[in-house]
């Protein structure tokens, strides 16, 4: 082949002609001339000398023909070729091959016309150059009325060829409107210009659209952007660069993505897209461009948000799903843009031969981007609204936007909402069904405090993070949710109950996909609510069952009542009996173990022994702090140990309340006890002391005072036992039986204790009352002491007198003087002394009585003015016969005034 | 397998490509084309020439065929 290399192009051409025509050299003279002419005139290639581009085009062509495997093969071959490095102009030969490429699927070309064409088209005279060979874009007249006419008027070009030009495969996007737009004629002028200069490649091959692409693309590329292709009415004046609409279209397509175009740039001061002022453009175009540029602005806004947020590490799952949703929407938008781009590309490929009716204009863009614009507007508004929010707040913000009447916008927002709340629902379901909380970014509305230990788990560990509650979850639903998870955790950690939650809740659903979430939101009232309710009901019931069966919560509550609140009467009485001699001693001499032993004795001797050992082992004696001068009575207290889950209900505070109440009740009981003793003493000694008539006055006083005191204490006890303890206990018990969850029980219990404390005058408001009561109790003790001394003295005196009488009798019986004068004198003296002490006693008692009554009256006054109704009723009972009222003018007045006052606010 | 030693092998690659693309060029024509291109001929023009020639030959064949019918 070395010979061939040195041959001149002409020679080669000739041999090529021979080859193709299949004839000898002589016969191909015409063709040879023609070939030489063509080659000579079109010397400079108009396409890019880019091998890569050409190779890509070849591949595209193959793909278009659906021969992907061949495309791969081609890449392989091309690589091989490149590696060989022999050829200098690889692009050239590749281009040639491409242009000669024929799609095997295409129908065979029509042959009939070619002869006629050929006969016409090739002049014999080798010198004459037909018009078209020298055609340059600018030199041709512009206006042609329509295509077919222009075809004919170009005379020697051949009619059929041009008409075949009308067959263009427009592979533009499907929404291409077919209407003819104004300015078509100018566009046609363009198309003709194009076709004239590339006619050779075009004609006769209507079935090979791939061919025109090569040459026309080259031509299209050669046309610089700023060359005016069409002129619209009302064009601008001279002196400024003119922009064609297609250039604007190109720019706009860039602006749609947020990239500055050649003419339309982002003006950051006004934060909008503006057309360069230097460019002359008609007002209507400017307007349309501005309207279209808004889309780019909206896109930028959304894009900026998603880009910023993707960098934010602490944005959390909800925020990320929001960004993902926005991304999806943007992808759709980009898809539209790529469709538009490809439309533009097709136009370029085939020249503007498509005619304006199929080309991309600003107006067309306006129509096509109308829907996306609405969408982007909604997204941008959402982005604005959701700035700076995350977690549940974010989903609330999105939800708020869903409350619109526009169904299109509502559907969009609903879709985004379902994506955004998917993580929240995941959190929710995990929390409800497993009690697990994995919330690194603090997005969920249940917050867990890791510093809290197990004993305070129920009360302190889990709280509601109110800001993160989404607006589609009501407050009480949120509380229920908190409770459910809390219960599960409580069961696991405090009750050590490892039952898998699957057993607790029979039918549990988990949100597997955003679709479920979307379903939930369309049916917020139904499934979602019922899920939560069912979970709540089951979990709480289970928890209460565990507490009652395994930990005997209710039994302990009853035990508290019996022991700490002195419910078990016989036991308390016996205990007091046993403890009495111990407790009168000074407090410092008491030992706990002694007292515990006594406690156990009491337990064994009474009905308390039939209680379960679980309860009995928790009973204990506790000695309070000793202040100087205290007797045992002041420091004695009982205790009930609680631990584990029970301690959640009976917290330390509750226990301290219980102890205070116990103290109070114990004291009151002691008073009762004392008075019983007094009464006993009185009954016993009355008979005995009948023989001492001088004492009768004193004794009478004693009796009266004692009765008053008894009445008082009696009423107090009644009040405490029935109005305070029994009623509250009844309420508590009812509530506890009906309780649906542990919170109810805890709340009811706290209410119970609060009521008791306030009614037993132990709260801070009733301090005055309590002091009065204490004073009364002290008086009673005083009285007891006084009475004791009185009786002791009286009985001693009686004893002595009896002795005297006895001695008298004895002596008489022995025959002596019963009573000597000296004896009698001594006796009389003694009796005299005794009788003298009586007034002292009497006055003492009188003072005591007076004092006592004063205190009681003050007490009554305080009771009257208290706000608690039951205390007011107590005052009535205490003074049922208005005994005190008669003596105390203050009482009279205060009763009247307070009565009036009371009735005003009753 | 490196084929850089054999200068003729590139032609077979090109033949393969042309076969893939269904250009209808045989070996000799292809080699002529390669020479022409290497010498700097505009491939656009060349391809248009080839196409014209082909169509001409087709037309002639038809004519001949037509005439042969009679």
């Amino acid at each position: 082949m070395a010979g061939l290399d040195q041959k001149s192009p002409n020679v080669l051409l000739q041999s090529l002609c021979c080859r193709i025509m299949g004839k000898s050299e002589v016969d191909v003279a015409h063709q040879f001339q023609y070939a030489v002419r063509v080659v000579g005139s079109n010397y400079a290639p108009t396409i890019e000398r880019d091998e890569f581009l050409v190779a890509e085009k070849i591949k595209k062509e193959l793909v278009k023909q659906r021969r992907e495997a061949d495309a791969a093969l081609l890449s392989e071959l091309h690589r091989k070729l490149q590696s060989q490095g022999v050829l200098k102009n690889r692009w050239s030969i590749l281009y040639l091959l491409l242009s000669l490429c024929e799609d095997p699927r295409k129908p065979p070309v029509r042959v009939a016309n070619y002869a006629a064409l050929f006969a016409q088209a090739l002049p014999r005279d080798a010198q004459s150059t037909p018009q078209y060979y020298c055609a340059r874009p600018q030199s041709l007249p512009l206006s042609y009325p329509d295509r077919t006419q222009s075809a004919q008027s170009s005379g020697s070009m051949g009619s059929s060829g041009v008409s075949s030009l009308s067959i263009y495969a427009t592979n533009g996007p499907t929404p291409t409107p077919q209407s003819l737009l104004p300015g078509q004629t100018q566009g046609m002028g363009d198309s003709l210009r194009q076709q004239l200069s590339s006619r050779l490649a075009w004609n006769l091959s209507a079935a090979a659209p791939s061919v025109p692409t090569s040459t026309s693309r080259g031509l299209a590329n050669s046309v610089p952007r700023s060359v005016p292709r069409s002129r619209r009415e009302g064009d601008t004046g001279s002196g400024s660069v003119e922009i064609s609409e297609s250039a604007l279209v190109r720019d706009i397509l860039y602006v749609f993505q947020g990239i500055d175009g050649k003419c339309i740039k982002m003006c950051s001061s006004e934060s909008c897209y503006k057309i360069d002022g230097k460019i002359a453009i008609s007002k209507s175009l400017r307007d349309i461009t501005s309207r279209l540029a808004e889309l780019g602005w909206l896109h930028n806004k959304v894009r900026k948000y998603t880009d910023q947020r993707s960098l934010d590490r602490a944005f959390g799952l909800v925020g990320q799903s929001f960004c993902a949703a926005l991304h999806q929407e943007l992808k759709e938008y980009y898809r539209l843009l790529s469709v538009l781009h490809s439309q533009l590309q097709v136009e370029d490929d085939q020249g503007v031969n498509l005619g304006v009716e199929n080309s991309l204009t600003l107006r067309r863009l306006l129509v096509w981007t109308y829907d996306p614009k609405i969408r982007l507007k909604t997204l941008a508004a959402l982005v604005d609204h959701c700035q700076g929010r995350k977690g549940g707040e974010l989903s609330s913000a999105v939800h708020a936007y869903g409350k619109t009447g526009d169904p299109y916008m509502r559907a969009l927002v609903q879709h985004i909402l379902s994506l955004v709340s998917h993580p929240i629902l995941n959190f929710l379901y995990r929390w409800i069904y497993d009690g697990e909380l994995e919330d690194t970014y603090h997005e969920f509305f249940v917050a867990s405090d890791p510093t809290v230990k197990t004993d305070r788990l129920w009360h302190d560990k889990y709280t509601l993070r109110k800001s993160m509650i989404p607006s589609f979850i009501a407050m009480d639903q949120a509380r229920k949710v908190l409770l459910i998870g809390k219960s599960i955790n409580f069961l696991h950690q405090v009750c050590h109950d490892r039952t898998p939650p699957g057993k607790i809740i029979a039918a549990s659903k988990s949100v597997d996909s955003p679709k479920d979430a979307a379903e939930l939101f369309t049916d917020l009232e139904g499934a979602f609510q019922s899920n939560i309710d069912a979970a709540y009901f089951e979990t709480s019931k289970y928890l209460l069952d565990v507490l009652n069966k395994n930990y005997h919560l209710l039994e302990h509550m009853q035990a508290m009542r019996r022991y700490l609140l002195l419910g078990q009467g016989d036991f308390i009485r016996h205990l007091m009996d046993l403890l009495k001699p111990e407790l009168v001693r000074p407090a410092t001499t008491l030992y706990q173990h002694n007292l515990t032993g006594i406690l156990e004795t009491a337990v064994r001797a009474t009905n308390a022994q039939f209680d379960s050992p679980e309860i009995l082992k928790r009973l204990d004696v506790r000695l309070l702090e000793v202040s100087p001068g205290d007797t045992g009575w002041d420091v004695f207290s009982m205790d009930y140990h609680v631990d584990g889950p029970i301690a959640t209900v009976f917290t330390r505070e509750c226990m301290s309340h219980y102890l205070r109440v116990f103290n109070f009740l114990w004291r009151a009981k002691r008073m009762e006890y004392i008075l019983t003793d007094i009464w006993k003493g009185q009954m016993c000694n009355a008979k005995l002391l009948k023989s001492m008539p001088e004492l009768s006055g004193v004794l009478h006083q004693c009796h009266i005072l004692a009765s008053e005191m008894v009445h008082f204490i009696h009423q107090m006890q009644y009040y405490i036992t029935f109005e305070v303890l029994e009623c509250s206990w009844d309420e508590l018990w009812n509530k506890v039986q009906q309780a649906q969850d542990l919170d109810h029980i805890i709340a009811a219990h706290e209410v119970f204790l609060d009521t008791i404390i306030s009614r037993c005058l132990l709260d801070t408001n009733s301090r005055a009352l309590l002091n009065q009561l204490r004073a009364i109790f002290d008086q009673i003790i005083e009285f007891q002491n006084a009475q004791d001394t009185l009786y002791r003295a009286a009985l001693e005196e009686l004893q002595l007198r009896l002795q005297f009488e006895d001695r008298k009798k004895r002596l008489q019986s022995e025959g002596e003087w019963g009573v000597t004068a000296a004896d009698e004198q001594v006796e009389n003296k003694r009796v005299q002394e005794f009788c003298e002490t009586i007034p002292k006693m009497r006055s003492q008692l009188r003072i005591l009585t007076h004092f006592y009554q004063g205190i009681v009256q003050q007490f009554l006054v305080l009771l009257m003015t208290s706000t608690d109704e039951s205390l007011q009723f107590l005052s009535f009972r205490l003074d049922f016969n208005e005994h005190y009222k008669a003596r105390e003018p203050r009482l009279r007045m205060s009763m009247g005034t307070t009565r009036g006052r009371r009735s005003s606010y009753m | 397998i490196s084929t850089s030693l054999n200068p003729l092998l590139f032609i077979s690659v090109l033949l393969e490509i042309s076969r893939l693309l269904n250009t209808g060029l045989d070996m000799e024509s292809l080699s002529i084309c390669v020479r022409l291109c290497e010498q700097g001929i505009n491939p656009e023009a060349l391809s248009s020439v080839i196409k014209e020639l082909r169509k001409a030959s087709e037309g002639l064949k038809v004519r001949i065929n037509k005439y042969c019918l009679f």
Side-chain angles (χ1 to χ4, degrees):
Chain A
M1 291 282 197
L4 258 177
D5 282 337
Q6 280 132 20
K7 288 193 183 150
S8 75
N10 282 343
V11 174
L12 289 170
L13 262 183
Q14 193 173 34
S15 41
L16 184 64
C17 292
C18 294
R19 191 93 202 134
I20 295 180
M21 298 298 292
K23 297 228 181 95
S24 67
E25 287 184 353
V26 177
D27 296 328
V28 298
H30 286 310
Q31 286 79 0
F32 176 55
Q33 273 182 1
Y34 159 72
V36 168
R37 214 171 296 138
V38 168
V39 170
S41 62
N42 282 348
Y43 203 71
T46 49
I47 54 165
E48 300 259 335
R49 298 186 197 210
D50 189 347
E51 180 190 351
F52 183 66
L53 206 62
V54 175
E56 286 300 306
K57 281 186 191 158
I58 297 178
K59 270 187 227 151
K60 242 200 271 181
E61 181 55 36
L62 284 173
V63 170
K64 232 200 257 180
Q65 296 176 17
R66 306 237 199 288
R67 292 158 59 189
E68 280 90 351
D70 290 337
L73 197 56
L74 182 88
S75 314
E76 180 70 28
L77 290 168
H78 184 217
R79 226 177 15 88
K80 257 201 218 162
L81 204 62
Q82 276 177 320
S83 66
Q84 289 184 351
V86 177
L87 290 176
K88 281 181 290 156
N89 288 339
R90 279 197 294 274
W91 69 275
S92 167
I93 186 65
L94 284 174
Y95 186 82
L96 178 69
L97 292 176
L98 174 62
S99 56
L100 289 174
C101 171
E102 274 178 31
D103 193 338
R105 297 177 303 171
K106 295 288 190 298
V109 287
R110 287 171 300 150
V111 177
N113 295 327
Y114 302 155
L117 175 64
F118 216 74
Q120 276 186 7
L122 295 177
R124 284 174 181 278
D125 187 2
Q127 303 308 311
S128 68
T129 43
Q131 262 183 310
Y132 50 89
Y133 291 129
C134 310
R136 286 287 174 268
Q138 293 85 349
S139 58
L140 290 173
L142 285 174
S143 56
Y144 290 88
D146 64 357
R147 249 193 241 126
T148 50
Q149 270 189 343
S150 64
Q152 264 126 34
S153 59
S154 46
S156 57
M157 290 183 44
S159 54
S160 54
V162 178
S163 62
S164 68
L165 285 168
S166 61
I167 305 170
Y168 306 113
T170 44
N171 299 323
T174 38
T176 312
Q178 293 300 319
S179 58
L180 296 177
L181 294 175
Q184 176 194 359
T185 49
Q186 286 93 349
M188 286 243 300
D190 293 344
S191 69
L192 270 173
R193 251 185 280 123
Q194 294 292 333
Q195 83 198 26
L196 287 175
S197 50
S198 61
R199 177 216 146 237
L200 288 169
W202 279 75
N203 59 9
L204 313 177
S205 57
S210 57
V211 176
T213 51
S214 48
T215 38
S216 65
R217 194 177 302 130
L219 285 160
N221 283 346
S222 69
V223 172
R225 268 195 194 171
S226 53
V227 168
R229 286 216 233 142
S230 67
R231 298 175 129 229
R232 295 190 152 263
E233 305 86 20
D235 233 347
T236 56
S238 56
S240 46
V241 182
E242 284 184 0
I243 297 287
S244 68
E245 186 175 353
S246 57
L248 275 176
V249 166
R250 261 178 234 279
D251 259 8
I252 276 289
L253 284 181
Y254 281 117
V255 165
F256 280 167
Q257 290 173 57
I259 308 168
D260 281 352
K262 272 201 165 128
C263 341
I264 311 173
K265 299 205 184 355
M266 173 63 116
C267 169
S268 44
S269 60
E270 292 172 38
S271 176
C272 67
Y273 276 102
K274 279 176 92 122
I275 304 181
D276 232 337
K278 295 198 281 341
I279 298 172
I281 201 168
S282 71
K283 181 109 182 20
S284 63
L285 276 183
R286 211 181 269 273
D287 275 342
I288 296 183
T289 317
S290 307
R291 262 194 275 167
L292 286 170
E294 184 188 355
L295 216 62
W297 185 84
L298 290 170
H299 164 268
N300 276 0
K301 196 186 210 21
V302 178
R303 193 62 200 256
K304 193 164 113 178
Y305 181 77
T306 53
D307 286 343
Q308 268 180 350
R309 289 285 146 257
S310 62
L311 293 173
D312 188 350
R313 288 196 177 282
F315 198 35
L317 296 170
V318 176
Q320 280 172 22
S321 33
F322 183 55
C323 284
L326 288 177
H327 257 297
Q328 246 184 13
E329 296 295 326
L330 280 181
K331 257 202 325 207
E332 289 294 322
Y333 176 66
Y334 289 142
R335 209 176 285 165
L336 170 70
L337 288 189
S338 61
V339 162
L340 291 174
H341 260 297
S342 68
Q343 166 76 330
L344 206 58
Q345 198 81 328
V346 167
E347 265 176 45
D348 290 347
D349 291 351
Q350 305 185 358
V352 192
N353 293 316
L354 295 170
V356 178
E357 69 200 31
N358 285 339
S359 75
L360 215 49
T361 63
L362 290 176
R363 291 246 164 76
R364 215 168 253 159
L365 278 179
L366 206 61
V367 171
W368 290 344
T369 55
Y370 183 70
D371 273 344
K373 190 191 272 200
I374 294 184
R375 240 178 144 79
L376 272 186
K377 260 197 195 146
T378 317
L379 290 177
L382 262 180
V383 158
D384 261 343
H385 196 230
C386 295
Q387 280 289 354
R389 298 183 203 231
K390 60 178 210 170
E393 263 188 307
L394 183 58
S395 68
S396 296
V398 175
H399 182 241
Y401 247 82
K403 297 194 175 109
T404 166
D406 176 2
Y408 184 69
M409 191 159 135
R410 186 167 50 214
L412 173 63
V413 175
Q414 286 281 55
H415 173 69
I416 294 189
L417 181 66
S418 66
L419 286 174
V420 158
S421 24
H422 183 234
I424 294 189
L425 280 178
N426 266 345
F427 278 138
L428 187 79
Y429 281 140
R430 271 188 86 193
W431 174 245
I432 294 181
Y433 295 125
D434 295 333
E436 274 170 24
L437 195 64
E438 250 186 66
D439 183 17
T440 25
Y441 301 110
H442 304 294
E443 299 176 285
F444 193 45
F445 53 87
V446 173
S448 151
D449 187 354
T451 57
V452 174
K453 306 220 185 355
T454 353
D455 53 347
R456 293 295 298 178
L457 186 141
W458 185 266
H459 296 277
D460 294 340
K461 187 154 178 148
Y462 297 107
T463 47
L464 271 183
R465 212 181 264 139
K466 293 213 171 60
S467 58
M468 289 296 171
I469 300 182
S471 46
F472 43 84
I473 293 185
M475 193 63 180
D476 66 315
Q477 269 181 326
R479 281 207 201 96
K480 273 191 197 161
V481 164
L482 177 68
L483 190 73
I484 297 170
K486 223 173 25 170
S487 314
I488 297 183
N489 274 305
F490 187 72
L491 279 170
H492 282 175
Q493 288 172 25
V494 182
C495 304
H496 305 294
D497 185 288
R498 292 267 152 206
T499 320
K503 279 203 189 143
I504 302 177
I505 302 152
S508 64
K509 223 168 46 153
S510 64
V511 179
D512 287 329
S513 67
K515 193 170 72 72
D516 286 345
E519 276 170 16
L520 281 175
F521 289 123
T522 53
D523 186 21
L524 267 176
E525 297 303 306
F528 191 51
Q529 177 88 328
S530 66
N531 263 356
I532 292 186
D533 283 344
Y536 165 75
F537 188 65
E538 294 289 336
T539 319
S540 305
K541 194 156 89 72
Y542 186 74
L543 175 65
L544 288 178
D545 281 343
V546 163
L547 277 178
N548 286 338
K549 292 204 186 70
N550 303 354
Y551 294 97
H552 313 289
L553 178 68
L554 296 182
E555 274 111 15
H556 284 301
M557 208 177 267
Q558 278 178 323
M560 292 262 188
R561 166 88 176 92
R562 281 208 298 276
Y563 294 110
L564 286 184
L565 299 182
L566 308 188
Q568 186 87 17
D570 57 344
F571 164 72
I572 298 293
R573 169 53 51 125
H574 193 63
L575 182 66
M576 209 173 258
D577 284 339
L578 292 173
L579 280 173
K580 187 163 144 228
E582 290 287 330
L583 292 181
V584 289
R585 297 204 328 248
T588 44
T589 60
L590 290 174
Y591 291 117
Q592 180 146 356
H593 57 266
N594 287 346
L595 298 174
T596 321
I598 295 176
L599 181 75
E600 276 170 29
T601 322
V603 165
R604 266 175 297 162
T606 62
N607 277 336
Q609 65 187 295
F610 302 120
D611 263 341
S612 86
E614 172 71 30
I615 293 174
L616 291 175
K617 74 172 194 229
R618 292 176 188 266
L619 273 179
D620 201 5
V621 169
R622 177 201 274 227
L623 291 177
L624 303 171
E625 269 181 29
V626 180
S627 339
D630 272 352
T631 64
W633 287 109
D634 298 322
V635 299
F636 176 77
S637 177
M638 269 213 306
D639 198 8
Y640 194 90
H641 292 291
V642 282
D643 57 9
I646 311 291
T648 314
V649 178
F650 301 111
T651 60
R652 215 155 286 165
E653 275 171 39
C654 290
M655 293 313 295
S656 68
H657 284 321
Y658 268 120
L659 290 179
R660 282 179 69 199
V661 177
F662 170 79
N663 202 316
F664 179 78
L665 295 174
W666 183 255
R667 266 177 219 259
K669 200 93 200 179
R670 183 189 165 204
M671 293 304 125
E672 200 186 314
Y673 201 75
I674 289 174
L675 284 174
T676 322
D677 277 348
I678 292 175
W679 182 86
K680 239 192 328 190
Q682 282 179 355
M683 291 301 119
C684 293
N685 295 333
K687 281 219 186 90
L688 286 174
L689 294 174
K690 251 201 209 138
S691 55
M692 291 167 64
E694 60 271 20
L695 279 178
S696 62
V698 176
L699 288 177
H700 187 60
Q701 259 182 316
C702 280
H703 285 185
I704 292 175
L705 185 55
S707 316
E708 268 187 44
M709 287 180 175
V710 161
H711 169 77
F712 182 85
I713 293 295
H714 207 61
Q715 294 304 318
M716 278 304 296
Q717 282 289 75
Y718 169 85
Y719 165 74
I720 292 171
T721 318
F722 291 106
E723 294 221 358
V724 177
L725 286 179
E726 281 302 313
C727 292
S728 309
W729 176 255
D730 197 46
E731 260 183 56
L732 172 69
W733 198 245
N734 281 343
K735 280 195 206 160
V736 161
Q737 299 284 41
Q738 291 167 1
Q740 281 185 323
D741 61 49
L742 191 56
D743 265 349
H744 288 173
I745 294 186
I746 294 180
H749 189 243
E750 279 180 21
V751 162
F752 169 69
L753 279 177
D754 282 339
T755 322
I756 293 182
I757 285 192
S758 69
R759 294 242 173 106
C760 287
L761 314 171
L762 288 170
D763 60 352
T764 44
N765 296 345
S766 324
R767 185 128 298 210
L769 274 170
L770 191 64
N771 289 340
Q772 284 300 106
L773 202 58
R774 290 264 163 85
I776 292 175
F777 289 169
D778 289 338
Q779 285 304 107
I780 295 177
I781 296 174
E782 280 275 336
F783 174 64
Q784 187 193 37
N785 293 340
Q787 175 150 348
D788 275 349
T789 34
L790 171 70
Y791 279 142
R792 223 194 346 264
L795 286 173
E796 207 183 285
E797 177 63 24
L798 183 67
Q799 190 69 18
L800 285 171
R801 287 192 197 178
L802 283 175
Q803 267 183 346
F804 184 71
E805 293 296 317
D806 273 344
R807 194 165 145 259
K808 203 161 81 171
K809 279 208 191 88
R810 192 169 46 85
L811 282 175
Q812 273 186 341
S813 63
E814 283 171 7
E816 289 185 13
W817 291 111
V819 176
T820 59
D823 283 341
E824 199 150 348
Q825 215 178 0
V826 164
E827 180 72 22
N828 282 346
K829 191 158 159 263
R830 202 200 65 233
V831 167
Q832 192 75 23
E833 275 172 15
F834 183 69
C835 289
E836 273 162 23
T837 59
I838 292 179
K840 206 161 39 142
M841 275 186 239
R842 196 181 285 186
S843 62
Q844 194 185 25
L845 275 175
R846 209 179 298 133
I847 293 171
L848 206 67
T849 315
H850 193 71
F851 205 50
Y852 170 75
Q853 283 178 346
I855 297 177
V856 170
Q857 275 156 16
Q858 268 183 340
F859 186 66
L860 284 173
V861 166
L862 284 172
L863 275 184
M864 202 75 70
T865 52
S866 90
T867 49
D868 196 347
E869 268 185 14
S870 49
L871 286 175
Q872 285 164 4
F873 289 140
L874 175 66
S875 76
F876 280 142
R877 266 205 298 282
L878 283 174
D879 195 27
F880 66 97
N881 54 6
E882 300 190 350
H883 170 76
Y884 295 101
K885 191 164 120 183
R887 298 180 180 216
E888 175 61 60
R890 226 168 16 136
L891 266 178
R892 241 177 288 140
M893 277 212 343
S894 60
M895 271 197 214
T897 44
T898 53
R899 242 189 232 129
R901 225 188 294 145
R902 248 184 293 131
S903 61
S904 68
Y905 57 73
M906 250 200 225
Chain B
I1 306 164
S2 162
T3 53
S4 50
L5 298 170
N6 194 343
L8 291 181
L9 223 52
F10 74 91
I11 197 81
S12 55
V13 173
L14 281 174
L15 192 66
E16 191 61 35
I17 297 179
S18 103
R19 191 189 60 76
L20 265 182
L21 291 174
N22 204 10
T23 55
L25 286 174
D26 61 342
M27 183 65 156
E28 214 189 306
S29 314
L30 181 64
S31 59
I32 297 174
C33 292
V34 171
R35 299 295 161 249
L36 282 171
C37 287
E38 284 292 291
Q39 291 180 6
I41 297 288
N42 183 4
E44 294 169 292
L46 190 56
S47 81
S48 55
V49 165
I50 294 177
K51 282 184 207 154
E52 288 280 351
L53 290 175
R54 280 188 179 160
K55 301 318 166 235
S57 79
E58 288 289 314
L60 281 174
K61 279 194 204 129
V62 166
R63 250 203 203 143
I64 291 167
N65 288 339
K66 263 201 210 163
Y67 290 143
C68 286
L69 285 176
F70 296 103

